[in-house]
Amino acid sequence: MTDSDAQPPERDRPAGPVKVWLRWSRSVRLWVVVALSTLVLSVLTSTFVMQPFLIPSGSMEATLQVGDRVIVNKLAYRFGGEIRRGDVIVFDGTGSFVAGEAEPGLFGRLLRGAGGAVGLASGSETDYVKRVIGVGGDRVRCCDEQGRVEVNGEPLAEPYLYPGDEPSRVEFDIEVPEGRLWVMGDHRSDSADSREYLGSPGGGTVPVDKVIGRVELIGWPVDRWGRLRSAHG
């Protein structure tokens, strides 16, 4: 028998249809596992760590504009982090700004996280974004002789106010209960915030345990990308 009559080694033989299918099947399964793992990781991250939120209104202009997508740090206050005056937060308004709606359970939060992870959802209709003006124990009032908001008797410097806006056209004087927050929008003339709910249970204040997280940065549009600085006072 000559060399030309010898059978080609097993590895050099053309693969049969079954072998081709098996290789293709293994490749598809690998990519499916990778895709599912990535999705699960994204959902868990969006649900429990960081989540994008879409800004739907002008109540926080000019700090945040309609259509901005912001990234909210959900761990900012989970491990001893203190909510401070000047922080821009996202919170669930159920029970303070919105009455009579049940909170979503874990499954609902996972679905919301899945939507946020793939860009299909950015929070619920009961989620609000505002700036913290007073924390538990603070006395917040408006206005002093110069029309400024006072916290514990000290006038509040508010460089973030929408150009031309007054600190408030609504007078108020409230002592914030412990475990609650007084919040206001930066665009005061276009913001339904704690002032709007003075006559409601809680006097317009928001429970700390309803805070979803702190706004860390603007992720979209590209020309507005950047970290959001809190104005602590």
Side-chain angles (χ1 to χ4, degrees):
M1 182 175 66
T2 64
D3 291 341
S4 61
D5 295 329
Q7 292 293 323
E10 183 69 24
R11 64 177 179 273
D12 295 333
R13 294 179 184 175
V18 174
K19 289 185 178 180
V20 171
W21 184 87
L22 288 174
R23 290 176 185 172
W24 179 84
S25 179
R26 283 195 296 267
S27 178
V28 169
R29 287 200 301 269
L30 175 61
W31 282 108
V32 168
V33 169
V34 170
L36 288 177
S37 299
T38 301
L39 178 60
V40 169
L41 181 60
S42 298
V43 169
L44 292 176
T45 299
S46 185
T47 303
F48 300 109
V49 183
M50 304 286 283
Q51 183 174 348
F53 278 83
L54 175 68
I55 302 302
S57 75
S59 69
M60 283 296 293
E61 291 177 336
T63 305
L64 300 174
Q65 298 180 7
V66 177
D68 282 354
R69 282 190 176 269
V70 299
I71 304 300
V72 174
N73 180 1
K74 292 187 168 186
L75 298 182
Y77 309 119
R78 293 287 176 87
F79 303 103
E82 181 182 358
I83 300 177
R84 302 171 64 186
R85 303 183 203 100
D87 285 355
V88 176
I89 61 171
V90 171
F91 62 92
D92 178 4
T94 304
S96 55
F97 285 24
V98 179
E101 290 198 27
E103 296 181 68
L106 178 59
F107 182 68
R109 284 186 289 140
L110 286 171
L111 284 178
R112 185 188 302 179
V118 298
L120 296 178
S122 295
S124 75
E125 293 181 357
T126 63
D127 292 341
Y128 294 80
V129 56
K130 303 293 179 188
R131 190 180 297 273
V132 177
I133 302 299
V135 298
D138 285 343
R139 182 184 178 185
V140 185
R141 65 175 294 270
C142 191
C143 300
D144 68 5
E145 293 180 355
Q146 298 182 41
R148 299 170 298 185
V149 174
E150 286 186 343
V151 178
N152 300 325
E154 295 294 329
L156 194 61
E158 299 190 279
Y160 43 75
L161 282 183
Y162 186 78
D165 257 9
E166 301 174 20
S168 180
R169 294 179 181 176
V170 177
E171 294 185 359
F172 56 87
D173 187 344
I174 185 170
E175 183 170 332
V176 183
E178 292 295 336
R180 302 183 76 93
L181 306 167
W182 179 269
V183 298
M184 299 171 74
D186 290 355
H187 193 173
R188 298 287 160 79
S189 62
D190 191 32
S191 176
D193 47 41
S194 289
R195 299 168 298 166
E196 187 84 4
Y197 302 95
L198 281 166
S200 302
T205 60
V206 176
V208 168
D209 60 11
K210 293 287 190 176
V211 174
I212 295 170
R214 183 177 64 215
V215 178
E216 295 286 352
L217 57 87
I218 300 172
W220 186 265
V222 175
D223 61 351
R224 286 180 47 73
W225 186 90
R227 189 173 181 83
L228 196 70
R229 296 181 179 180
S230 295
H232 295 133

PDB file of all heavy atoms in Angstrom, residues 77-112:
ATOM      1  N   TYR A  77     -26.859  54.791  51.116  1.00  0.00           N
ATOM      2  CA  TYR A  77     -27.290  54.949  52.499  1.00  0.00           C
ATOM      3  C   TYR A  77     -27.535  53.613  53.199  1.00  0.00           C
ATOM      4  O   TYR A  77     -28.094  53.582  54.295  1.00  0.00           O
ATOM      5  CB  TYR A  77     -28.574  55.790  52.552  1.00  0.00           C
ATOM      6  CG  TYR A  77     -28.490  57.088  51.790  1.00  0.00           C
ATOM      7  CD1 TYR A  77     -29.349  57.354  50.724  1.00  0.00           C
ATOM      8  CD2 TYR A  77     -27.544  58.051  52.124  1.00  0.00           C
ATOM      9  CE1 TYR A  77     -29.274  58.553  50.028  1.00  0.00           C
ATOM     10  CE2 TYR A  77     -27.464  59.252  51.425  1.00  0.00           C
ATOM     11  CZ  TYR A  77     -28.330  59.490  50.383  1.00  0.00           C
ATOM     12  OH  TYR A  77     -28.245  60.680  49.680  1.00  0.00           O
ATOM     13  N   ARG A  78     -27.129  52.513  52.554  1.00  0.00           N
ATOM     14  CA  ARG A  78     -27.452  51.189  53.101  1.00  0.00           C
ATOM     15  C   ARG A  78     -26.551  50.768  54.268  1.00  0.00           C
ATOM     16  O   ARG A  78     -26.969  50.037  55.137  1.00  0.00           O
ATOM     17  CB  ARG A  78     -27.361  50.137  52.000  1.00  0.00           C
ATOM     18  CG  ARG A  78     -28.424  50.268  50.918  1.00  0.00           C
ATOM     19  CD  ARG A  78     -29.785  49.842  51.422  1.00  0.00           C
ATOM     20  NE  ARG A  78     -30.814  50.049  50.425  1.00  0.00           N
ATOM     21  CZ  ARG A  78     -31.119  49.158  49.480  1.00  0.00           C
ATOM     22  NH1 ARG A  78     -30.465  48.012  49.421  1.00  0.00           N
ATOM     23  NH2 ARG A  78     -32.063  49.416  48.611  1.00  0.00           N
ATOM     24  N   PHE A  79     -25.314  51.202  54.274  1.00  0.00           N
ATOM     25  CA  PHE A  79     -24.355  50.707  55.254  1.00  0.00           C
ATOM     26  C   PHE A  79     -23.806  51.854  56.100  1.00  0.00           C
ATOM     27  O   PHE A  79     -22.603  52.074  56.188  1.00  0.00           O
ATOM     28  CB  PHE A  79     -23.216  49.958  54.561  1.00  0.00           C
ATOM     29  CG  PHE A  79     -23.705  48.810  53.718  1.00  0.00           C
ATOM     30  CD1 PHE A  79     -23.765  48.939  52.327  1.00  0.00           C
ATOM     31  CD2 PHE A  79     -24.133  47.635  54.288  1.00  0.00           C
ATOM     32  CE1 PHE A  79     -24.230  47.895  51.541  1.00  0.00           C
ATOM     33  CE2 PHE A  79     -24.600  46.580  53.512  1.00  0.00           C
ATOM     34  CZ  PHE A  79     -24.644  46.709  52.143  1.00  0.00           C
ATOM     35  N   GLY A  80     -24.721  52.566  56.710  1.00  0.00           N
ATOM     36  CA  GLY A  80     -24.323  53.641  57.600  1.00  0.00           C
ATOM     37  C   GLY A  80     -24.156  54.982  56.923  1.00  0.00           C
ATOM     38  O   GLY A  80     -23.806  55.967  57.592  1.00  0.00           O
ATOM     39  N   GLY A  81     -24.381  55.045  55.611  1.00  0.00           N
ATOM     40  CA  GLY A  81     -24.278  56.319  54.916  1.00  0.00           C
ATOM     41  C   GLY A  81     -25.373  57.271  55.371  1.00  0.00           C
ATOM     42  O   GLY A  81     -26.531  56.870  55.521  1.00  0.00           O
ATOM     43  N   GLU A  82     -25.032  58.497  55.604  1.00  0.00           N
ATOM     44  CA  GLU A  82     -25.964  59.483  56.145  1.00  0.00           C
ATOM     45  C   GLU A  82     -26.549  60.350  55.032  1.00  0.00           C
ATOM     46  O   GLU A  82     -25.815  60.862  54.189  1.00  0.00           O
ATOM     47  CB  GLU A  82     -25.224  60.370  57.159  1.00  0.00           C
ATOM     48  CG  GLU A  82     -26.103  61.414  57.812  1.00  0.00           C
ATOM     49  CD  GLU A  82     -25.311  62.292  58.772  1.00  0.00           C
ATOM     50  OE1 GLU A  82     -24.089  62.053  58.937  1.00  0.00           O
ATOM     51  OE2 GLU A  82     -25.908  63.243  59.336  1.00  0.00           O
ATOM     52  N   ILE A  83     -27.858  60.485  55.044  1.00  0.00           N
ATOM     53  CA  ILE A  83     -28.513  61.403  54.114  1.00  0.00           C
ATOM     54  C   ILE A  83     -28.229  62.815  54.593  1.00  0.00           C
ATOM     55  O   ILE A  83     -28.483  63.160  55.752  1.00  0.00           O
ATOM     56  CB  ILE A  83     -30.022  61.151  54.044  1.00  0.00           C
ATOM     57  CG1 ILE A  83     -30.304  59.720  53.581  1.00  0.00           C
ATOM     58  CG2 ILE A  83     -30.691  62.155  53.104  1.00  0.00           C
ATOM     59  CD1 ILE A  83     -31.776  59.356  53.558  1.00  0.00           C
ATOM     60  N   ARG A  84     -27.704  63.641  53.710  1.00  0.00           N
ATOM     61  CA  ARG A  84     -27.284  64.983  54.083  1.00  0.00           C
ATOM     62  C   ARG A  84     -28.078  66.035  53.320  1.00  0.00           C
ATOM     63  O   ARG A  84     -28.559  65.791  52.209  1.00  0.00           O
ATOM     64  CB  ARG A  84     -25.788  65.155  53.813  1.00  0.00           C
ATOM     65  CG  ARG A  84     -24.918  64.157  54.543  1.00  0.00           C
ATOM     66  CD  ARG A  84     -23.473  64.235  54.082  1.00  0.00           C
ATOM     67  NE  ARG A  84     -22.867  65.524  54.406  1.00  0.00           N
ATOM     68  CZ  ARG A  84     -21.650  65.876  54.012  1.00  0.00           C
ATOM     69  NH1 ARG A  84     -20.926  65.070  53.250  1.00  0.00           N
ATOM     70  NH2 ARG A  84     -21.157  67.056  54.360  1.00  0.00           N
ATOM     71  N   ARG A  85     -28.198  67.200  53.938  1.00  0.00           N
ATOM     72  CA  ARG A  85     -28.826  68.317  53.238  1.00  0.00           C
ATOM     73  C   ARG A  85     -28.048  68.591  51.956  1.00  0.00           C
ATOM     74  O   ARG A  85     -26.822  68.612  51.959  1.00  0.00           O
ATOM     75  CB  ARG A  85     -28.818  69.574  54.100  1.00  0.00           C
ATOM     76  CG  ARG A  85     -29.499  69.415  55.436  1.00  0.00           C
ATOM     77  CD  ARG A  85     -29.499  70.755  56.186  1.00  0.00           C
ATOM     78  NE  ARG A  85     -29.635  70.537  57.615  1.00  0.00           N
ATOM     79  CZ  ARG A  85     -28.616  70.562  58.476  1.00  0.00           C
ATOM     80  NH1 ARG A  85     -27.394  70.808  58.030  1.00  0.00           N
ATOM     81  NH2 ARG A  85     -28.827  70.351  59.754  1.00  0.00           N
ATOM     82  N   GLY A  86     -28.763  68.812  50.885  1.00  0.00           N
ATOM     83  CA  GLY A  86     -28.125  69.077  49.601  1.00  0.00           C
ATOM     84  C   GLY A  86     -28.052  67.869  48.697  1.00  0.00           C
ATOM     85  O   GLY A  86     -27.841  68.015  47.490  1.00  0.00           O
ATOM     86  N   ASP A  87     -28.218  66.660  49.255  1.00  0.00           N
ATOM     87  CA  ASP A  87     -28.211  65.459  48.417  1.00  0.00           C
ATOM     88  C   ASP A  87     -29.407  65.483  47.474  1.00  0.00           C
ATOM     89  O   ASP A  87     -30.518  65.887  47.852  1.00  0.00           O
ATOM     90  CB  ASP A  87     -28.295  64.191  49.273  1.00  0.00           C
ATOM     91  CG  ASP A  87     -26.989  63.851  49.976  1.00  0.00           C
ATOM     92  OD1 ASP A  87     -25.978  64.538  49.729  1.00  0.00           O
ATOM     93  OD2 ASP A  87     -26.987  62.891  50.768  1.00  0.00           O
ATOM     94  N   VAL A  88     -29.189  65.027  46.251  1.00  0.00           N
ATOM     95  CA  VAL A  88     -30.292  64.825  45.306  1.00  0.00           C
ATOM     96  C   VAL A  88     -30.640  63.343  45.355  1.00  0.00           C
ATOM     97  O   VAL A  88     -29.786  62.488  45.101  1.00  0.00           O
ATOM     98  CB  VAL A  88     -29.897  65.249  43.880  1.00  0.00           C
ATOM     99  CG1 VAL A  88     -31.030  64.949  42.891  1.00  0.00           C
ATOM    100  CG2 VAL A  88     -29.552  66.738  43.847  1.00  0.00           C
ATOM    101  N   ILE A  89     -31.872  63.045  45.720  1.00  0.00           N
ATOM    102  CA  ILE A  89     -32.275  61.660  45.965  1.00  0.00           C
ATOM    103  C   ILE A  89     -33.461  61.269  45.088  1.00  0.00           C
ATOM    104  O   ILE A  89     -34.212  62.116  44.615  1.00  0.00           O
ATOM    105  CB  ILE A  89     -32.647  61.429  47.440  1.00  0.00           C
ATOM    106  CG1 ILE A  89     -33.842  62.311  47.844  1.00  0.00           C
ATOM    107  CG2 ILE A  89     -31.438  61.677  48.352  1.00  0.00           C
ATOM    108  CD1 ILE A  89     -34.427  61.995  49.214  1.00  0.00           C
ATOM    109  N   VAL A  90     -33.612  59.966  44.904  1.00  0.00           N
ATOM    110  CA  VAL A  90     -34.819  59.387  44.326  1.00  0.00           C
ATOM    111  C   VAL A  90     -35.513  58.625  45.446  1.00  0.00           C
ATOM    112  O   VAL A  90     -34.865  57.893  46.198  1.00  0.00           O
ATOM    113  CB  VAL A  90     -34.495  58.445  43.149  1.00  0.00           C
ATOM    114  CG1 VAL A  90     -35.745  57.691  42.701  1.00  0.00           C
ATOM    115  CG2 VAL A  90     -33.919  59.239  41.983  1.00  0.00           C
ATOM    116  N   PHE A  91     -36.815  58.823  45.576  1.00  0.00           N
ATOM    117  CA  PHE A  91     -37.560  58.164  46.649  1.00  0.00           C
ATOM    118  C   PHE A  91     -38.924  57.719  46.147  1.00  0.00           C
ATOM    119  O   PHE A  91     -39.435  58.220  45.143  1.00  0.00           O
ATOM    120  CB  PHE A  91     -37.721  59.098  47.856  1.00  0.00           C
ATOM    121  CG  PHE A  91     -38.505  60.353  47.573  1.00  0.00           C
ATOM    122  CD1 PHE A  91     -39.881  60.410  47.777  1.00  0.00           C
ATOM    123  CD2 PHE A  91     -37.856  61.485  47.097  1.00  0.00           C
ATOM    124  CE1 PHE A  91     -40.591  61.566  47.508  1.00  0.00           C
ATOM    125  CE2 PHE A  91     -38.564  62.657  46.821  1.00  0.00           C
ATOM    126  CZ  PHE A  91     -39.932  62.689  47.028  1.00  0.00           C
ATOM    127  N   ASP A  92     -39.485  56.762  46.863  1.00  0.00           N
ATOM    128  CA  ASP A  92     -40.833  56.289  46.585  1.00  0.00           C
ATOM    129  C   ASP A  92     -41.805  57.174  47.356  1.00  0.00           C
ATOM    130  O   ASP A  92     -41.761  57.222  48.588  1.00  0.00           O
ATOM    131  CB  ASP A  92     -40.957  54.831  47.024  1.00  0.00           C
ATOM    132  CG  ASP A  92     -42.344  54.258  46.806  1.00  0.00           C
ATOM    133  OD1 ASP A  92     -43.209  54.957  46.244  1.00  0.00           O
ATOM    134  OD2 ASP A  92     -42.574  53.097  47.211  1.00  0.00           O
ATOM    135  N   GLY A  93     -42.665  57.874  46.634  1.00  0.00           N
ATOM    136  CA  GLY A  93     -43.587  58.801  47.267  1.00  0.00           C
ATOM    137  C   GLY A  93     -44.835  58.172  47.839  1.00  0.00           C
ATOM    138  O   GLY A  93     -45.708  58.883  48.358  1.00  0.00           O
ATOM    139  N   THR A  94     -44.943  56.837  47.801  1.00  0.00           N
ATOM    140  CA  THR A  94     -46.120  56.168  48.352  1.00  0.00           C
ATOM    141  C   THR A  94     -46.248  56.471  49.848  1.00  0.00           C
ATOM    142  O   THR A  94     -45.312  56.279  50.618  1.00  0.00           O
ATOM    143  CB  THR A  94     -46.022  54.645  48.166  1.00  0.00           C
ATOM    144  OG1 THR A  94     -45.842  54.353  46.786  1.00  0.00           O
ATOM    145  CG2 THR A  94     -47.276  53.957  48.660  1.00  0.00           C
ATOM    146  N   GLY A  95     -47.415  56.966  50.240  1.00  0.00           N
ATOM    147  CA  GLY A  95     -47.653  57.266  51.645  1.00  0.00           C
ATOM    148  C   GLY A  95     -47.320  58.690  52.034  1.00  0.00           C
ATOM    149  O   GLY A  95     -47.706  59.143  53.112  1.00  0.00           O
ATOM    150  N   SER A  96     -46.604  59.414  51.170  1.00  0.00           N
ATOM    151  CA  SER A  96     -46.305  60.816  51.472  1.00  0.00           C
ATOM    152  C   SER A  96     -46.778  61.721  50.334  1.00  0.00           C
ATOM    153  O   SER A  96     -47.600  62.609  50.524  1.00  0.00           O
ATOM    154  CB  SER A  96     -44.807  61.008  51.724  1.00  0.00           C
ATOM    155  OG  SER A  96     -44.034  60.524  50.637  1.00  0.00           O
ATOM    156  N   PHE A  97     -46.275  61.479  49.125  1.00  0.00           N
ATOM    157  CA  PHE A  97     -46.697  62.238  47.961  1.00  0.00           C
ATOM    158  C   PHE A  97     -47.823  61.539  47.207  1.00  0.00           C
ATOM    159  O   PHE A  97     -48.537  62.168  46.436  1.00  0.00           O
ATOM    160  CB  PHE A  97     -45.524  62.456  47.006  1.00  0.00           C
ATOM    161  CG  PHE A  97     -44.525  63.484  47.458  1.00  0.00           C
ATOM    162  CD1 PHE A  97     -44.385  63.801  48.798  1.00  0.00           C
ATOM    163  CD2 PHE A  97     -43.722  64.136  46.549  1.00  0.00           C
ATOM    164  CE1 PHE A  97     -43.461  64.742  49.228  1.00  0.00           C
ATOM    165  CE2 PHE A  97     -42.795  65.082  46.958  1.00  0.00           C
ATOM    166  CZ  PHE A  97     -42.665  65.389  48.301  1.00  0.00           C
ATOM    167  N   VAL A  98     -47.939  60.240  47.397  1.00  0.00           N
ATOM    168  CA  VAL A  98     -48.963  59.436  46.716  1.00  0.00           C
ATOM    169  C   VAL A  98     -49.649  58.576  47.764  1.00  0.00           C
ATOM    170  O   VAL A  98     -48.979  57.935  48.585  1.00  0.00           O
ATOM    171  CB  VAL A  98     -48.340  58.518  45.634  1.00  0.00           C
ATOM    172  CG1 VAL A  98     -49.432  57.687  44.965  1.00  0.00           C
ATOM    173  CG2 VAL A  98     -47.591  59.344  44.596  1.00  0.00           C
ATOM    174  N   ALA A  99     -50.977  58.560  47.749  1.00  0.00           N
ATOM    175  CA  ALA A  99     -51.720  57.793  48.745  1.00  0.00           C
ATOM    176  C   ALA A  99     -52.362  56.565  48.132  1.00  0.00           C
ATOM    177  O   ALA A  99     -52.747  56.565  46.964  1.00  0.00           O
ATOM    178  CB  ALA A  99     -52.802  58.661  49.385  1.00  0.00           C
ATOM    179  N   GLY A 100     -52.447  55.496  48.924  1.00  0.00           N
ATOM    180  CA  GLY A 100     -53.275  54.352  48.580  1.00  0.00           C
ATOM    181  C   GLY A 100     -52.725  53.368  47.589  1.00  0.00           C
ATOM    182  O   GLY A 100     -53.475  52.569  47.053  1.00  0.00           O
ATOM    183  N   GLU A 101     -51.419  53.373  47.301  1.00  0.00           N
ATOM    184  CA  GLU A 101     -50.866  52.404  46.370  1.00  0.00           C
ATOM    185  C   GLU A 101     -49.935  51.459  47.103  1.00  0.00           C
ATOM    186  O   GLU A 101     -49.140  51.874  47.936  1.00  0.00           O
ATOM    187  CB  GLU A 101     -50.094  53.101  45.245  1.00  0.00           C
ATOM    188  CG  GLU A 101     -50.988  53.842  44.291  1.00  0.00           C
ATOM    189  CD  GLU A 101     -50.289  54.140  42.980  1.00  0.00           C
ATOM    190  OE1 GLU A 101     -49.372  53.383  42.613  1.00  0.00           O
ATOM    191  OE2 GLU A 101     -50.669  55.116  42.325  1.00  0.00           O
ATOM    192  N   ALA A 102     -50.057  50.181  46.781  1.00  0.00           N
ATOM    193  CA  ALA A 102     -49.218  49.180  47.432  1.00  0.00           C
ATOM    194  C   ALA A 102     -47.799  49.253  46.887  1.00  0.00           C
ATOM    195  O   ALA A 102     -47.579  49.565  45.723  1.00  0.00           O
ATOM    196  CB  ALA A 102     -49.796  47.782  47.206  1.00  0.00           C
ATOM    197  N   GLU A 103     -46.843  48.942  47.769  1.00  0.00           N
ATOM    198  CA  GLU A 103     -45.453  48.903  47.339  1.00  0.00           C
ATOM    199  C   GLU A 103     -45.183  47.629  46.555  1.00  0.00           C
ATOM    200  O   GLU A 103     -45.746  46.581  46.852  1.00  0.00           O
ATOM    201  CB  GLU A 103     -44.525  48.939  48.553  1.00  0.00           C
ATOM    202  CG  GLU A 103     -44.609  50.201  49.372  1.00  0.00           C
ATOM    203  CD  GLU A 103     -43.639  50.147  50.535  1.00  0.00           C
ATOM    204  OE1 GLU A 103     -42.416  50.170  50.278  1.00  0.00           O
ATOM    205  OE2 GLU A 103     -44.103  50.050  51.673  1.00  0.00           O
ATOM    206  N   PRO A 104     -44.303  47.670  45.545  1.00  0.00           N
ATOM    207  CA  PRO A 104     -43.966  46.448  44.822  1.00  0.00           C
ATOM    208  C   PRO A 104     -43.150  45.508  45.689  1.00  0.00           C
ATOM    209  O   PRO A 104     -42.313  45.952  46.480  1.00  0.00           O
ATOM    210  CB  PRO A 104     -43.126  46.979  43.638  1.00  0.00           C
ATOM    211  CG  PRO A 104     -42.554  48.261  44.124  1.00  0.00           C
ATOM    212  CD  PRO A 104     -43.590  48.852  45.033  1.00  0.00           C
ATOM    213  N   GLY A 105     -43.423  44.204  45.554  1.00  0.00           N
ATOM    214  CA  GLY A 105     -42.630  43.219  46.270  1.00  0.00           C
ATOM    215  C   GLY A 105     -41.322  42.961  45.560  1.00  0.00           C
ATOM    216  O   GLY A 105     -40.946  43.671  44.623  1.00  0.00           O
ATOM    217  N   LEU A 106     -40.627  41.909  46.013  1.00  0.00           N
ATOM    218  CA  LEU A 106     -39.331  41.593  45.431  1.00  0.00           C
ATOM    219  C   LEU A 106     -39.460  41.297  43.942  1.00  0.00           C
ATOM    220  O   LEU A 106     -38.649  41.765  43.135  1.00  0.00           O
ATOM    221  CB  LEU A 106     -38.712  40.390  46.150  1.00  0.00           C
ATOM    222  CG  LEU A 106     -37.366  39.905  45.603  1.00  0.00           C
ATOM    223  CD1 LEU A 106     -36.330  41.004  45.673  1.00  0.00           C
ATOM    224  CD2 LEU A 106     -36.891  38.667  46.356  1.00  0.00           C
ATOM    225  N   PHE A 107     -40.512  40.546  43.553  1.00  0.00           N
ATOM    226  CA  PHE A 107     -40.691  40.206  42.141  1.00  0.00           C
ATOM    227  C   PHE A 107     -40.919  41.470  41.321  1.00  0.00           C
ATOM    228  O   PHE A 107     -40.363  41.636  40.232  1.00  0.00           O
ATOM    229  CB  PHE A 107     -41.870  39.250  41.972  1.00  0.00           C
ATOM    230  CG  PHE A 107     -42.083  38.805  40.546  1.00  0.00           C
ATOM    231  CD1 PHE A 107     -41.167  37.987  39.923  1.00  0.00           C
ATOM    232  CD2 PHE A 107     -43.199  39.223  39.838  1.00  0.00           C
ATOM    233  CE1 PHE A 107     -41.351  37.591  38.597  1.00  0.00           C
ATOM    234  CE2 PHE A 107     -43.396  38.833  38.525  1.00  0.00           C
ATOM    235  CZ  PHE A 107     -42.470  38.008  37.906  1.00  0.00           C
ATOM    236  N   GLY A 108     -41.729  42.386  41.860  1.00  0.00           N
ATOM    237  CA  GLY A 108     -41.964  43.642  41.160  1.00  0.00           C
ATOM    238  C   GLY A 108     -40.709  44.460  41.018  1.00  0.00           C
ATOM    239  O   GLY A 108     -40.465  45.076  39.983  1.00  0.00           O
ATOM    240  N   ARG A 109     -39.879  44.466  42.063  1.00  0.00           N
ATOM    241  CA  ARG A 109     -38.627  45.218  41.991  1.00  0.00           C
ATOM    242  C   ARG A 109     -37.669  44.584  40.995  1.00  0.00           C
ATOM    243  O   ARG A 109     -36.918  45.277  40.316  1.00  0.00           O
ATOM    244  CB  ARG A 109     -37.989  45.299  43.374  1.00  0.00           C
ATOM    245  CG  ARG A 109     -38.688  46.304  44.289  1.00  0.00           C
ATOM    246  CD  ARG A 109     -37.955  46.485  45.599  1.00  0.00           C
ATOM    247  NE  ARG A 109     -38.089  45.309  46.440  1.00  0.00           N
ATOM    248  CZ  ARG A 109     -37.118  44.798  47.183  1.00  0.00           C
ATOM    249  NH1 ARG A 109     -35.919  45.336  47.154  1.00  0.00           N
ATOM    250  NH2 ARG A 109     -37.329  43.746  47.937  1.00  0.00           N
ATOM    251  N   LEU A 110     -37.691  43.243  40.913  1.00  0.00           N
ATOM    252  CA  LEU A 110     -36.844  42.568  39.925  1.00  0.00           C
ATOM    253  C   LEU A 110     -37.288  42.904  38.510  1.00  0.00           C
ATOM    254  O   LEU A 110     -36.449  43.128  37.628  1.00  0.00           O
ATOM    255  CB  LEU A 110     -36.864  41.056  40.157  1.00  0.00           C
ATOM    256  CG  LEU A 110     -36.075  40.546  41.369  1.00  0.00           C
ATOM    257  CD1 LEU A 110     -36.348  39.072  41.603  1.00  0.00           C
ATOM    258  CD2 LEU A 110     -34.579  40.782  41.190  1.00  0.00           C
ATOM    259  N   LEU A 111     -38.611  42.931  38.284  1.00  0.00           N
ATOM    260  CA  LEU A 111     -39.110  43.297  36.959  1.00  0.00           C
ATOM    261  C   LEU A 111     -38.718  44.724  36.617  1.00  0.00           C
ATOM    262  O   LEU A 111     -38.314  45.026  35.491  1.00  0.00           O
ATOM    263  CB  LEU A 111     -40.641  43.147  36.914  1.00  0.00           C
ATOM    264  CG  LEU A 111     -41.190  41.733  36.811  1.00  0.00           C
ATOM    265  CD1 LEU A 111     -42.710  41.765  36.824  1.00  0.00           C
ATOM    266  CD2 LEU A 111     -40.685  41.034  35.560  1.00  0.00           C
ATOM    267  N   ARG A 112     -38.829  45.619  37.605  1.00  0.00           N
ATOM    268  CA  ARG A 112     -38.428  47.007  37.377  1.00  0.00           C
ATOM    269  C   ARG A 112     -36.934  47.078  37.083  1.00  0.00           C
ATOM    270  O   ARG A 112     -36.487  47.818  36.204  1.00  0.00           O
ATOM    271  CB  ARG A 112     -38.762  47.859  38.597  1.00  0.00           C
ATOM    272  CG  ARG A 112     -38.486  49.341  38.398  1.00  0.00           C
ATOM    273  CD  ARG A 112     -38.649  50.138  39.673  1.00  0.00           C
ATOM    274  NE  ARG A 112     -39.980  50.003  40.240  1.00  0.00           N
ATOM    275  CZ  ARG A 112     -40.347  50.594  41.377  1.00  0.00           C
ATOM    276  NH1 ARG A 112     -39.480  51.331  42.053  1.00  0.00           N
ATOM    277  NH2 ARG A 112     -41.568  50.443  41.826  1.00  0.00           N
TER     278      ARG A 112
END
